[in-house]
Structure formats: structure tokens, C-alpha cells
Amino acid sequence: SQQGEEDPQALSIQEGENATMNCSYKTSINNLQWYRQNSGRGLVHLILIRSNEREKHSGRLRVTLDTSKKSSSLLITASRAADTASYFCATSSIQGAQKLVFGQGTRLTINP
Amino acid sequence: DVKVTQSSRYLVKRTGEKVFLECVQDMDHENMFWYRQDPGLGLRLIYFSYDVKMKEKGDIPEGYSVSREKKERFSLILESASTNQTSMYLCASSSPPNQPQHFGDGTRLSIL
């Protein structure tokens, strides 16, 4: 069954603007992770947030987690053309801690 | 840095052939994973392994098998390739299993 689901499926913004992507999930989690994938390449881990954390920062990335709503958001500030990629959330559930379940991703396009 | 290497970036095979996809990681990770990625479906877990000679089915194991004879190498086998197995295949490793996964660049497999 699909765990993480990203919203929107596609997002197109101008360079310099902020980009926000959302992820919803269904079961109780140990942690939630965000990954980035450039076209035709593998995924690259961006940030991990544990279930007892509410917010985490890494450079221009800000991730929030609301376990009561079973949702997370990824904010990329001051976007650059190089941020153009697909972004995936992945959850590690308490029941199935041996694996991650990935959402379908958000395709982000930054227009110069 | 962790390096996960997949043996081929592109592969073309014929229906009915036995196909081997190889993956090697250099960070002594216990856990290795095989996913397939299709448009609109995101990443789906085929098999994973948490130790040498150990394997667990993922969400879509039908038509596939795996082999892990050495810790650093995890092979995905298509016993009798079919056209519906045309896809992007991604290998990943991690330690422990619910921590960030490190991905290879993927193998784009076409079955004709």
C-alpha cells in the first residue's frame, strides 16, 4: 500500500522563489526522509526527521513534521535552477522498520 | 563517501532471457535493496537483504529473485524476462535499514 504521498505532483516556480512540497502518510513512523533525484540518476538523501522532532534545517532546506496530521513538508528557500529535480519522501514505519516506503514524488522545475 | 555501483546504466534484453543486474557497495552496509521505478508509480521495493545469504520479499517480488553471497554484492535476477519488466532498476544500501539509503545511478532495462 502507498505510504508517503507527495503533493503537488509537479511544481514550477521562478528562480529565487521558495518551493514547498508536502507529504502525507498513513501509519505510525520512526522517521521520515526526503530524497532528491536528478533526471536519469539515483536518489540522493537530503534530510531525515525523527518522529519526536517537529522541524529540521539543512542549508536552504527546512523540513517540518506533524505526526498528529501524519504529514511533512519540505521547503527549499531561494530556489536555484540547479534545484530542478524530483523530490521524494520516504517513511520508516514502526511495523516495518526494515524498509522505507517511498511516495510518488514531486517534480520541481525552477525557471531561470 | 558511500559508493553504490550498478553494473550497467542501460541494458537491452529479449523476452524469455535470464537477466542479471549487479550492485556493489563499498561501505560494509548490512542492508541492501532493489527497487524498480516506473512513471506515476514511484519506487517499489522488489527485494531486500539484511545480511549475507538472507533475503526478504518486498512489495513486488513476482518474476524476480536475488542473491547475496558476499556482503558487498546484491544481485537481482529476472528468471525469464518479460516486457512488463521494462523499467528503471535502482539498488540501495544502508546501515541500519531505516537510516538514509545510498543509491546507485540505476539501470534502465528494456525487454524487447
PDB file of all heavy atoms in Angstrom, chain B residues 72-86:
ATOM      1  N   GLU B  72      29.113  -7.197   0.136  1.00  0.00           N
ATOM      2  CA  GLU B  72      29.142  -6.003  -0.686  1.00  0.00           C
ATOM      3  C   GLU B  72      28.327  -6.122  -1.976  1.00  0.00           C
ATOM      4  O   GLU B  72      28.136  -5.129  -2.651  1.00  0.00           O
ATOM      5  CB  GLU B  72      30.598  -5.634  -1.042  1.00  0.00           C
ATOM      6  CG  GLU B  72      31.302  -6.624  -1.958  1.00  0.00           C
ATOM      7  CD  GLU B  72      32.025  -7.717  -1.197  1.00  0.00           C
ATOM      8  OE1 GLU B  72      31.703  -7.940  -0.011  1.00  0.00           O
ATOM      9  OE2 GLU B  72      32.919  -8.354  -1.804  1.00  0.00           O
ATOM     10  N   ARG B  73      27.853  -7.303  -2.315  1.00  0.00           N
ATOM     11  CA  ARG B  73      27.229  -7.515  -3.617  1.00  0.00           C
ATOM     12  C   ARG B  73      25.817  -8.071  -3.477  1.00  0.00           C
ATOM     13  O   ARG B  73      25.592  -9.032  -2.740  1.00  0.00           O
ATOM     14  CB  ARG B  73      28.092  -8.477  -4.439  1.00  0.00           C
ATOM     15  CG  ARG B  73      27.626  -8.687  -5.857  1.00  0.00           C
ATOM     16  CD  ARG B  73      28.577  -9.643  -6.572  1.00  0.00           C
ATOM     17  NE  ARG B  73      29.925  -9.125  -6.649  1.00  0.00           N
ATOM     18  CZ  ARG B  73      30.383  -8.370  -7.638  1.00  0.00           C
ATOM     19  NH1 ARG B  73      29.595  -8.052  -8.657  1.00  0.00           N
ATOM     20  NH2 ARG B  73      31.634  -7.948  -7.623  1.00  0.00           N
ATOM     21  N   PHE B  74      24.906  -7.459  -4.213  1.00  0.00           N
ATOM     22  CA  PHE B  74      23.493  -7.878  -4.179  1.00  0.00           C
ATOM     23  C   PHE B  74      23.019  -7.923  -5.621  1.00  0.00           C
ATOM     24  O   PHE B  74      23.021  -6.910  -6.314  1.00  0.00           O
ATOM     25  CB  PHE B  74      22.686  -6.882  -3.357  1.00  0.00           C
ATOM     26  CG  PHE B  74      21.296  -7.319  -2.998  1.00  0.00           C
ATOM     27  CD1 PHE B  74      20.986  -8.641  -2.736  1.00  0.00           C
ATOM     28  CD2 PHE B  74      20.275  -6.374  -2.863  1.00  0.00           C
ATOM     29  CE1 PHE B  74      19.705  -9.025  -2.379  1.00  0.00           C
ATOM     30  CE2 PHE B  74      18.982  -6.743  -2.495  1.00  0.00           C
ATOM     31  CZ  PHE B  74      18.708  -8.081  -2.254  1.00  0.00           C
ATOM     32  N   SER B  75      22.621  -9.104  -6.065  1.00  0.00           N
ATOM     33  CA  SER B  75      22.241  -9.300  -7.460  1.00  0.00           C
ATOM     34  C   SER B  75      20.746  -9.493  -7.588  1.00  0.00           C
ATOM     35  O   SER B  75      20.123 -10.188  -6.781  1.00  0.00           O
ATOM     36  CB  SER B  75      22.962 -10.519  -8.039  1.00  0.00           C
ATOM     37  OG  SER B  75      24.362 -10.378  -7.904  1.00  0.00           O
ATOM     38  N   LEU B  76      20.188  -8.893  -8.612  1.00  0.00           N
ATOM     39  CA  LEU B  76      18.771  -9.079  -8.941  1.00  0.00           C
ATOM     40  C   LEU B  76      18.705  -9.914 -10.208  1.00  0.00           C
ATOM     41  O   LEU B  76      19.409  -9.632 -11.178  1.00  0.00           O
ATOM     42  CB  LEU B  76      18.097  -7.727  -9.168  1.00  0.00           C
ATOM     43  CG  LEU B  76      16.614  -7.768  -9.539  1.00  0.00           C
ATOM     44  CD1 LEU B  76      15.773  -8.241  -8.349  1.00  0.00           C
ATOM     45  CD2 LEU B  76      16.135  -6.397 -10.009  1.00  0.00           C
ATOM     46  N   ILE B  77      17.854 -10.928 -10.184  1.00  0.00           N
ATOM     47  CA  ILE B  77      17.759 -11.858 -11.303  1.00  0.00           C
ATOM     48  C   ILE B  77      16.336 -11.875 -11.832  1.00  0.00           C
ATOM     49  O   ILE B  77      15.378 -12.032 -11.053  1.00  0.00           O
ATOM     50  CB  ILE B  77      18.170 -13.282 -10.857  1.00  0.00           C
ATOM     51  CG1 ILE B  77      19.585 -13.239 -10.270  1.00  0.00           C
ATOM     52  CG2 ILE B  77      18.094 -14.261 -12.028  1.00  0.00           C
ATOM     53  CD1 ILE B  77      19.874 -14.328  -9.289  1.00  0.00           C
ATOM     54  N   LEU B  78      16.209 -11.665 -13.129  1.00  0.00           N
ATOM     55  CA  LEU B  78      14.933 -11.850 -13.804  1.00  0.00           C
ATOM     56  C   LEU B  78      15.003 -13.228 -14.445  1.00  0.00           C
ATOM     57  O   LEU B  78      15.772 -13.450 -15.380  1.00  0.00           O
ATOM     58  CB  LEU B  78      14.715 -10.774 -14.867  1.00  0.00           C
ATOM     59  CG  LEU B  78      14.349  -9.375 -14.401  1.00  0.00           C
ATOM     60  CD1 LEU B  78      15.467  -8.706 -13.620  1.00  0.00           C
ATOM     61  CD2 LEU B  78      13.939  -8.514 -15.584  1.00  0.00           C
ATOM     62  N   GLU B  79      14.240 -14.165 -13.905  1.00  0.00           N
ATOM     63  CA  GLU B  79      14.380 -15.564 -14.315  1.00  0.00           C
ATOM     64  C   GLU B  79      14.029 -15.757 -15.788  1.00  0.00           C
ATOM     65  O   GLU B  79      14.696 -16.486 -16.507  1.00  0.00           O
ATOM     66  CB  GLU B  79      13.503 -16.440 -13.433  1.00  0.00           C
ATOM     67  CG  GLU B  79      13.899 -16.426 -11.958  1.00  0.00           C
ATOM     68  CD  GLU B  79      15.214 -17.141 -11.690  1.00  0.00           C
ATOM     69  OE1 GLU B  79      15.669 -17.925 -12.556  1.00  0.00           O
ATOM     70  OE2 GLU B  79      15.812 -16.920 -10.623  1.00  0.00           O
ATOM     71  N   SER B  80      12.969 -15.117 -16.242  1.00  0.00           N
ATOM     72  CA  SER B  80      12.542 -15.195 -17.638  1.00  0.00           C
ATOM     73  C   SER B  80      11.920 -13.837 -17.975  1.00  0.00           C
ATOM     74  O   SER B  80      10.756 -13.599 -17.683  1.00  0.00           O
ATOM     75  CB  SER B  80      11.528 -16.320 -17.830  1.00  0.00           C
ATOM     76  OG  SER B  80      11.084 -16.367 -19.167  1.00  0.00           O
ATOM     77  N   ALA B  81      12.743 -12.974 -18.543  1.00  0.00           N
ATOM     78  CA  ALA B  81      12.342 -11.580 -18.715  1.00  0.00           C
ATOM     79  C   ALA B  81      11.068 -11.441 -19.544  1.00  0.00           C
ATOM     80  O   ALA B  81      10.865 -12.151 -20.541  1.00  0.00           O
ATOM     81  CB  ALA B  81      13.472 -10.786 -19.360  1.00  0.00           C
ATOM     82  N   SER B  82      10.228 -10.497 -19.116  1.00  0.00           N
ATOM     83  CA  SER B  82       9.006 -10.204 -19.868  1.00  0.00           C
ATOM     84  C   SER B  82       8.949  -8.698 -20.126  1.00  0.00           C
ATOM     85  O   SER B  82       9.597  -7.903 -19.433  1.00  0.00           O
ATOM     86  CB  SER B  82       7.767 -10.662 -19.106  1.00  0.00           C
ATOM     87  OG  SER B  82       7.649  -9.946 -17.900  1.00  0.00           O
ATOM     88  N   THR B  83       8.149  -8.304 -21.098  1.00  0.00           N
ATOM     89  CA  THR B  83       8.116  -6.885 -21.488  1.00  0.00           C
ATOM     90  C   THR B  83       7.650  -5.993 -20.347  1.00  0.00           C
ATOM     91  O   THR B  83       8.051  -4.825 -20.261  1.00  0.00           O
ATOM     92  CB  THR B  83       7.223  -6.684 -22.718  1.00  0.00           C
ATOM     93  OG1 THR B  83       5.929  -7.233 -22.453  1.00  0.00           O
ATOM     94  CG2 THR B  83       7.812  -7.371 -23.950  1.00  0.00           C
ATOM     95  N   ASN B  84       6.822  -6.520 -19.442  1.00  0.00           N
ATOM     96  CA  ASN B  84       6.348  -5.678 -18.334  1.00  0.00           C
ATOM     97  C   ASN B  84       7.415  -5.474 -17.258  1.00  0.00           C
ATOM     98  O   ASN B  84       7.161  -4.803 -16.245  1.00  0.00           O
ATOM     99  CB  ASN B  84       5.055  -6.221 -17.720  1.00  0.00           C
ATOM    100  CG  ASN B  84       5.220  -7.592 -17.099  1.00  0.00           C
ATOM    101  OD1 ASN B  84       6.336  -8.079 -16.934  1.00  0.00           O
ATOM    102  ND2 ASN B  84       4.120  -8.226 -16.752  1.00  0.00           N
ATOM    103  N   GLN B  85       8.587  -6.016 -17.469  1.00  0.00           N
ATOM    104  CA  GLN B  85       9.710  -5.766 -16.579  1.00  0.00           C
ATOM    105  C   GLN B  85      10.643  -4.682 -17.120  1.00  0.00           C
ATOM    106  O   GLN B  85      11.682  -4.385 -16.525  1.00  0.00           O
ATOM    107  CB  GLN B  85      10.481  -7.052 -16.294  1.00  0.00           C
ATOM    108  CG  GLN B  85       9.661  -8.046 -15.464  1.00  0.00           C
ATOM    109  CD  GLN B  85      10.393  -9.353 -15.231  1.00  0.00           C
ATOM    110  OE1 GLN B  85      10.906  -9.976 -16.162  1.00  0.00           O
ATOM    111  NE2 GLN B  85      10.423  -9.780 -13.984  1.00  0.00           N
ATOM    112  N   THR B  86      10.254  -4.094 -18.234  1.00  0.00           N
ATOM    113  CA  THR B  86      10.969  -2.906 -18.716  1.00  0.00           C
ATOM    114  C   THR B  86      10.786  -1.794 -17.693  1.00  0.00           C
ATOM    115  O   THR B  86       9.653  -1.419 -17.363  1.00  0.00           O
ATOM    116  CB  THR B  86      10.411  -2.463 -20.079  1.00  0.00           C
ATOM    117  OG1 THR B  86      10.780  -3.433 -21.060  1.00  0.00           O
ATOM    118  CG2 THR B  86      10.965  -1.107 -20.483  1.00  0.00           C
TER     119      THR B  86
END
